[in-house]
Each structure stands twice: as structure tokens, then as C-alpha cells.
Amino acid sequence: MWKLEKDQAVGGTSFEYMLVKYLGSHDVTSRLPTSPPALVVVDSLDEARSRVSGKSWEEFVSSLATWAKKGLRFVLLGRERTIEDIWVMLEEGGVEVAWWEISHFAPRQCVDYVDQVVAKRDSDADRTSAEYRGARDALIHALRASAAGRYGEEFVGYAPVLDAAAAMLIGKPNLLAIRQRFEQQLQETGDLVDLLETILARLLERDQTKLEPLARTLKLEPGQAYRPEEQILWLCHFLEEGDVPSLPYLTSAEARQEYIRKVTEFSSDHPFRTEHGWASPIFEAYVASKVFDKDCLSPSRLVEIGHQSGFLFDFMNRHDSLVLTESQFAALHASLIAAEWSESAASAGLAQAAGDDHYTGSLSTSAASRVTEFALLPEQAPTLRLLGPLSELSVHSRGTVVLQGSEIGPDLFVHAAEIVVEAEVLDFARRPAGSTDDEPSVVLEATDRLELHAGSEQLPRAGELELRVPAGFKLAYPWFEHRAELPEEEEMDQKVIRFLNKIMSLTRNHGHDGERGVFIKKLEGRQPFPPEQFNRALGVLVSEGVVRIEGDMVFLRANWEPYRYSGKALPGQQQLDDVRQVWEPVLKRVQEAL
């Protein structure tokens, strides 16, 4: 078992070095068993991938392929994006690969899992009693019913959620009250995250009661010590190197010292943590959402938590009027991408209006009711630094945009006066297998300056990258092959056609059989009109029945699907001229409206 999160460096020789250490011999090949073949489990591939360069990563995966050909067998554990990258490289290296997906627990397994957790943590619990079974079933049923469809089943069957649910049944709780509460909440609560927050808040409240004897000893008011907000700050102190909470209710130095000593001993068993880490990404993200605007977490740590799971976005998605820093935006964007919503697509958009230093933006997923709007204030305006994922992102800026990070794409669009890419080496992520997009995966449009000194271990395929610059602007090797002319000022009729072309190019099924859709912010950032004209043009298409708007998405209506054409004029596909007679009245009405 090789846990990569404990290794600071991963490269071409890392695995052989670990084998030498494990076997105690440099003659590794002769020491390996062959019948049955030796099995190596490699965990935390995502953590390792985020720390190393593209070249080191390729050398590392190549070394695994080499040892696989020598007879070793591997089980590689990671998230889908990382595993897909490895799978492609191993297949290209001639290594046979089987892909297994660990899914959510089925309904019966959810019950068994909760029972096992309760049995492990509370030996006195009577899991055969009618009271226990009633409380358990009401709790699990409420969780399942709080979100419709397949996503709800996956979420309820996720082990950390079941851990939080099981904790409600541990320690001789009032089982009848639990049953009644969740049966009632089942009728009132339709928000999955709201119910989850209820469980997590109850966990904190339950832990507070355990310190009541200490509070009485120190002659404190009931409920004054170890409140949920204080517990969160203690967790940040112990697990994230944050400051000790201020504890203003402790007036004497002696009482303060005794309290801190007892809390330090007690908090090691807090349900949110395990030994020196968080018990699950849910707890970690929940705490991060509660201290999102405080200094308890460093900017880089906040982004790291965002990369862990989609839960940070889930918890913050319920807040109105968010004002974000660059690192906070990066954290929420990372969390949005880390989420694994079935049959769903994610997108982030940023736009800067004339005369403004700030940006308006949105984080969206095609899953229902998942749109978070915000304002972003760059730390060094007019320069905007993109610190987080450089994928599933559209940016429209009037100033300078700096791209930080070595992995770029898929689905990145940046339009700015100046674009600066700070990475020394770029890795271009591939779109998912079977993607039908005819738009380039990465588009950088710079009206004044494009500073791109980075190299690349593997350049994107033809048509996947476009660097759009004005006429006469030269690009260095190897980027000149991806140079494209930045469109000059066009007549209105040409702008309308380009607007419609973008709708044709960007709308897609997102993994389902319904109407093709695209995020409004994504479309807005990649077409020629400023916001006011864009909204008017879109309004015409809605009134003409060409598209419909649902939440943050624009959908091409099914009755217009036969007249859909290739917005990129791809050979072999229907072109605008082939269906121009149908589209001509719509084009004229849009032009008249503008």
C-alpha cells in the first residue's frame, strides 16, 4: 500500500525507490513474487498529481507501466479526472487496464453501514429495538427524500454523510424525538444541503453538552462554553494551525489555562476529526464555509479544500450577495469542478463592465437550482489573477489577466486587453472521451498583448487551441501554429451571424437526451455583443421560440434542432447556407432589435 500524499516528490524513479526500501534489496526484480504476482495498491493519486510537473507525472506513470510489464499488478485509486489521464497513458503504453468505479451505497447497504458504525462506536446501543430502527429509518429516509433523482441516492449513500447520520444515533439519544423530528423535517425540508447542515449543526451541539461538567466546574453560565462557533475555531486551531479562540467569558488566567488544557484533551475525539486530520471532506468543507471570510485558513489552504470535493460550493451556494477575493473564487470554482454530479456540466464566468475594477460572475451547474452569483474584487486591480482551475471558465476583461497554474483546459476562454501566462510548462487537459464540441477547447483573445513564454510537453491537437491576436502580432515557437486572427470590428449583420454561430457551437446535451444547452455566462463571454445588446439578442430568440431560458442555461428548442448547423463550418456538417432560408427572418429580427 503506497500512500502518495506522504511523498513530497513523485517521478520516474519513485516507485523503484519505494520497492528497494520495502524489500531491503537493490535486486528488486528477483525478489518479487510471481505466483501469484505481487500486488501494489497506490492511493492518493490526485494529491500527487497536484504537486508535480507534467513531465514528472508522465515519467511516474511510465514507470508504473514498465513494472506492470515485468509482472506487477496495480490497483490505482483516484478521482475520475486523474484516473482518466492515467488510463490513456497506460493504454498507449500497451498495458491492459480495467476501470472500476466505487459508487454510493445502495439503500439496504446504507442501513447496514449505519448499524455497523453505531455498533463500533457505541457498544451499548440496542440496534434491534423498534425505537432504534424507527429513528434510523426516519433519518435515512429524510436524507434520501431531500433530493430527487439519482444525485440524491448518491449523496445519501456517500459514506461521510452516513457517518454524520450515524453519529446522531450514538450516545443514548432520545430515539423517539429523532424519529419525530426527521419525519416532520421530511415534510418541510426539500434542500439536501439544508438537511445536511442540520445534521452537522446537531453534531456540534451534541459535543457541546459533553463539556457541561467542565463549564459547571469553572462556574460558567449554561451554554456559554464550547459553543458550535467556538468548536469550529478550535478545529481550525488543531487541524489548520489557526489561532486559539479568544474565550472572552474566561476572566481569570487560571480558569483559561484549565479550560484550554481540557479542551485540548477532549477535542481529539471530536466527530469532525480523526487523529490529526478531518474525518471527511464534508466536515472540512462545512468548517471552511463557516470561516470563509475569516483568517482561519490561508488562501492556498482554502483552494486546497475546494479541490477536495464539491461540498464547499454546496454550502456557500446558499449565500446571497457574495463578494469574493481571487483565492475565494478559485476555491469555489475548484469545488464546483470537484463535484461529481451525474449528467451535469459545470461552468464559471467572469465579466468586467466598462469603468469597473470589479467583476461580476457566476458559478453554475446544469443540475437544477445550482447557480451562485457574486462580485469579485481583484487584489491588484486592474490585474486579475486566476489562481484556481483553468478549465470550465469564461473571462471577459478590459484589463490584464494573469493565468497561474500549469494545467490549462478543457473549456477555457479568456478575452482581455493583456493576457500573461506565468507557468513555465503547460499541460493541456483533454476533453472527455466522446465530446462533440466543435469549438476550440482553449481560446485566448488578447487585443494588446499576449505574453506566453511557457513550453509544453504535449501540445494540443489541431483545432483544440486558438491564440487570437491582432494582425501583425507575432507569436514565438511553438505557439505560432495556433495563432488565429482576432476579429476586427464587424458590420451588425456579421455580428448577428457570429452570435448565432456561437449558439450552434456551444449548445450541447451535457450527457442527457434532452435539448442542447449552454450556460448563459459562457455564451455571453464568447460572442461579439456587450451585455445590453446580448440580452436583447437573446430576448429575440426567446420570443421567436428558437431558444428557452431555464435558470442560468439557454436551450435550443427541439423543433429547431433539424435546422442546427455547424457554427465552425466543419466539412460534412450542415452549414448556415443550407438552412439560411429558415434562419433569415430570425437574423433580421435580431438585427432590427440591435
Side-chain angles (χ1 to χ4, degrees):
M1 179 71 158
W2 186 15
K3 297 186 177 181
L4 295 182
E5 79 271 12
K6 297 182 178 180
D7 283 1
Q8 293 301 313
V10 172
T13 61
S14 301
F15 179 61
E16 184 170 1
Y17 173 73
M18 294 298 291
L19 282 179
V20 170
K21 285 180 60 179
Y22 179 75
L23 297 171
S25 170
H26 289 278
D27 187 13
V28 173
T29 304
S30 64
R31 294 288 304 276
L32 293 174
T34 57
S35 183
L39 177 67
V40 179
V41 180
V42 185
D43 194 14
S44 305
L45 287 159
D46 303 278
E47 289 87 338
R49 178 65 183 90
S50 65
R51 288 197 307 265
V52 300
S53 68
K55 183 174 179 61
S56 295
W57 180 250
E58 289 184 8
E59 291 174 348
F60 165 68
V61 178
S62 296
S63 72
L64 300 186
T66 299
W67 284 99
K69 292 177 181 178
K70 292 181 180 181
L72 278 181
R73 295 295 177 263
F74 292 91
V75 175
L76 309 177
L77 302 177
R79 289 188 176 274
E80 185 173 353
R81 279 174 174 257
T82 302
I83 292 298
E84 186 175 59
D85 183 35
I86 294 174
W87 169 66
V88 171
M89 296 171 69
L90 291 178
E91 286 280 354
E92 291 176 349
V95 176
E96 184 178 352
V97 178
W99 184 315
W100 290 68
E101 293 186 5
I102 301 174
S103 187
H104 57 287
F105 288 115
R108 180 67 248 175
Q109 293 171 320
C110 289
V111 174
D112 294 341
Y113 183 89
V114 169
D115 286 348
Q116 291 179 35
V117 172
V118 172
K120 180 179 179 181
R121 298 181 183 175
D122 188 352
S123 58
D124 295 330
D126 182 5
R127 294 176 290 113
T128 63
S129 70
E131 292 81 4
Y132 168 81
R133 294 198 304 270
R136 176 202 63 197
D137 294 345
L139 175 55
I140 294 176
H141 184 53
L143 278 170
R144 179 168 292 108
S146 62
R150 180 185 171 196
Y151 178 69
E153 288 290 336
E154 291 179 349
F155 198 93
V156 173
Y158 181 46
V161 174
L162 294 174
D163 285 336
M168 301 281 294
L169 305 172
I170 294 171
K172 299 180 179 179
N174 186 331
L175 295 174
L176 179 60
I178 289 177
R179 177 176 181 173
Q180 292 175 340
R181 180 168 71 247
F182 281 102
E183 285 180 344
Q184 180 181 2
Q185 199 163 32
L186 180 61
Q187 304 299 322
E188 299 174 353
T189 304
D191 185 355
L192 177 85
V193 180
D194 188 50
L195 180 54
L196 179 58
E197 281 208 294
T198 298
I199 291 178
L200 297 173
R202 296 282 184 180
L203 280 172
L204 294 173
E205 292 166 2
R206 174 175 168 268
D207 244 43
Q208 183 183 11
T209 63
K210 295 180 179 180
L211 245 65
E212 287 179 356
L214 173 61
R216 287 194 295 268
T217 300
L218 297 176
K219 299 180 179 179
L220 299 174
E221 293 292 331
Q224 193 173 17
Y226 210 55
R227 289 174 298 182
E229 309 85 55
E230 183 189 318
Q231 290 181 54
I232 286 172
L233 296 179
W234 278 117
L235 288 165
C236 290
H237 169 66
F238 290 119
L239 301 180
E240 302 292 347
E241 300 181 350
D243 296 332
V244 173
S246 59
L247 311 175
Y249 53 85
L250 292 169
T251 56
S252 75
E254 183 179 353
R256 178 184 174 87
Q257 184 177 359
E258 175 65 8
Y259 182 80
I260 291 176
R261 185 178 70 84
K262 289 292 187 181
V263 167
T264 301
E265 295 174 357
F266 174 74
S267 65
S268 61
D269 293 324
H270 197 283
F272 280 27
R273 61 182 291 190
T274 173
E275 295 182 355
H276 302 297
W278 296 97
S280 83
I282 291 181
F283 303 127
E284 182 181 49
Y286 176 74
V287 169
S289 72
K290 295 301 182 183
V291 299
F292 196 74
D293 293 326
K294 298 180 174 64
D295 296 328
C296 303
L297 300 169
S298 68
S300 60
R301 180 68 181 113
L302 190 62
V303 175
E304 183 181 353
I305 291 173
H307 278 289
Q308 287 283 350
S309 73
F311 291 109
L312 180 62
F313 176 74
D314 280 336
F315 291 127
M316 295 302 299
N317 186 41
R318 302 165 69 248
H319 293 260
D320 296 326
S321 304
L322 285 175
V323 179
L324 305 180
T325 65
E326 290 158 330
S327 57
Q328 289 171 339
F329 166 69
L332 292 181
H333 185 199
S335 182
L336 179 70
I337 291 177
E340 297 177 358
W341 289 302
S342 174
E343 297 182 355
S344 176
S347 181
L350 292 172
Q352 184 182 38
D356 288 342
D357 285 336
H358 72 276
Y359 290 77
T360 58
S362 66
L363 293 159
S364 316
T365 171
S366 55
S369 302
R370 291 189 177 274
V371 180
T372 297
E373 297 186 348
F374 58 89
L376 188 151
L377 303 179
E379 296 177 10
Q380 297 178 344
T383 298
L384 170 68
R385 291 186 174 273
L386 298 178
L387 311 174
L390 300 177
S391 62
E392 311 295 344
L393 174 63
S394 298
V395 179
H396 204 284
S397 171
R398 296 178 177 273
T400 300
V401 175
V402 178
L403 277 59
Q404 295 183 329
S406 59
E407 185 168 320
I408 187 169
D411 213 5
L412 173 69
F413 175 89
V414 179
H415 174 93
E418 298 182 347
I419 299 176
V420 179
V421 181
E422 289 193 342
E424 295 181 0
V425 179
L426 289 179
D427 296 327
F428 289 88
R430 301 172 183 174
R431 277 179 172 146
S435 174
T436 58
D437 285 12
D438 52 20
E439 280 283 300
S441 179
V442 176
V443 176
L444 303 182
E445 287 188 356
T447 59
D448 298 337
R449 178 170 70 108
L450 176 58
E451 193 173 308
L452 185 66
H453 300 305
S456 178
E457 299 292 338
Q458 182 179 2
L459 288 171
R461 300 185 185 97
E464 289 187 343
L465 169 65
E466 282 192 8
L467 304 175
R468 299 173 183 170
V469 291
F473 194 101
K474 295 183 179 180
L475 295 174
Y477 176 86
W479 307 113
F480 65 85
E481 295 182 358
H482 301 277
R483 185 187 186 283
E485 201 79 14
L486 188 67
E488 296 180 357
E489 186 62 30
E490 300 168 304
E491 297 295 331
M492 182 58 71
D493 59 340
Q494 291 301 311
K495 286 185 177 181
V496 172
I497 291 176
R498 190 147 67 92
F499 165 73
L500 194 60
N501 287 348
K502 290 301 178 183
I503 294 178
M504 298 296 103
S505 297
L506 294 174
T507 50
R508 58 187 191 220
N509 291 113
H510 298 295
H512 58 78
D513 296 328
E515 295 174 331
R516 299 174 187 268
V518 61
F519 288 101
I520 292 177
K521 289 294 183 183
K522 179 176 178 180
L523 173 61
E524 183 180 353
R526 304 194 183 191
Q527 51 79 50
F529 297 126
E532 183 182 348
Q533 287 187 326
F534 169 75
N535 291 331
R536 274 190 279 161
L538 200 58
V540 171
L541 296 188
V542 171
S543 64
E544 293 295 318
V546 177
V547 303
R548 64 180 177 87
I549 296 177
E550 183 177 319
D552 208 39
M553 298 281 293
V554 178
F555 292 93
L556 182 66
R557 302 302 294 260
N559 58 317
W560 281 85
E561 183 67 24
Y563 310 113
R564 185 174 181 270
Y565 63 89
S566 170
K568 293 287 288 183
L570 297 177
Q573 296 189 21
Q574 186 165 258
Q575 307 297 313
L576 174 59
D577 288 344
D578 299 326
V579 287
R580 188 162 192 129
Q581 185 175 359
V582 178
W583 285 106
E584 193 66 39
V586 175
L587 293 171
K588 287 182 178 179
R589 289 187 182 94
V590 173
Q591 186 172 344
E592 290 169 359
L594 301 182

